[in-house]
Amino acid sequence: MKEDSNTYTDAPARVYTIEPTETQLGHNKKTKEALTLLAKQPKIAEWARANALASLRNVLEETITQEAWNLSNALLNNYGVQLCPEVASVWICDQLEKHIGATTEWHAGFAYESGDSKANLARAVGIKQQNCMTHFPQLEEIAAAQTKADETGQPQTIVLRGDEFDVYPSKPHEE
């Protein structure tokens, strides 16, 4: 493992520092290699988690605390019921957990539609490949919605785990 004090956040936003591969097979092979490294090297996985999630965790905790107080006050002011901020934060976290599941599937659907393999999607969430469609039951629906949005130039709406998501065309529609 190469020790490097630089974090991936040193790269400019939304600019790939990795050359795109020429083929889908090449892309999936390189993705598998990276996911295998993360799965088999705990120190590298911990480094990735720390770099990818550190600031997000702080922002999330602050936001949950603030929104719990806001919810507690709004319920009291608007409906005359009291919910302590501590329990409000538990409720908010539960709702976020459900939404994060849907959002994970959403991103998996776009990765799949873009050519990433089900095997690599399974690796990314630590499951066996044969369980991919159980874990992501709407994977094909998301990919189909993206394809239809691209073909028609019109956004498509899908429901994932109870949350509505709009799928927009990834490129301008040509008629």
Side-chain angles (χ1 to χ4, degrees):
M1 177 175 130
K2 180 182 174 186
E3 294 294 328
D4 192 348
S5 62
N6 293 334
T7 64
Y8 73 94
T9 56
D10 294 334
R14 297 191 183 268
V15 173
Y16 289 102
T17 56
I18 299 171
E19 292 286 325
T21 56
E22 293 181 19
T23 66
Q24 184 175 333
L25 183 61
H27 169 80
N28 279 312
K29 183 179 177 184
K30 287 180 180 185
T31 299
K32 177 183 178 182
E33 183 181 343
L35 291 170
T36 300
L37 177 75
L38 290 171
K40 293 188 177 189
Q41 297 289 331
K43 286 185 178 184
I44 295 172
E46 181 55 38
W47 169 85
R49 277 191 293 278
N51 280 282
L53 300 176
S55 63
L56 182 58
R57 285 180 181 157
N58 291 336
V59 169
L60 190 57
E61 282 298 320
E62 291 172 16
T63 302
I64 289 168
T65 300
Q66 184 59 50
E67 291 305 317
W69 278 95
N70 292 345
L71 176 60
S72 181
N73 288 331
L75 286 170
L76 182 61
N77 294 335
N78 297 334
Y79 301 100
V81 295
Q82 292 183 329
L83 179 63
C84 69
E86 293 80 9
V87 175
S89 68
V90 172
W91 184 86
I92 289 168
C93 287
D94 182 63
Q95 299 304 305
L96 279 172
E97 186 175 32
K98 292 172 185 170
H99 182 74
I100 289 293
T103 302
T104 301
E105 186 163 4
W106 167 260
H107 286 282
F110 287 117
Y112 179 65
E113 194 273 337
S114 296
D116 284 285
S117 69
K118 289 178 186 176
N120 280 338
L121 296 176
R123 281 183 192 93
V125 295
I127 62 172
K128 293 181 180 179
Q129 180 179 351
Q130 60 265 33
N131 296 331
C132 186
M133 293 308 291
T134 302
H135 192 80
F136 299 124
Q138 292 178 275
L139 193 64
E140 306 269 349
E141 183 181 342
I142 298 164
Q146 183 63 62
T147 299
K148 186 172 181 181
D150 289 345
E151 289 173 353
T152 65
Q154 298 298 313
Q156 305 297 307
T157 300
I158 58 173
V159 177
L160 299 172
R161 304 178 191 198
D163 287 345
E164 280 193 1
F165 288 84
D166 289 326
V167 180
Y168 294 95
S170 58
K171 57 188 173 208
H173 181 63
E174 297 173 8
E175 296 195 27

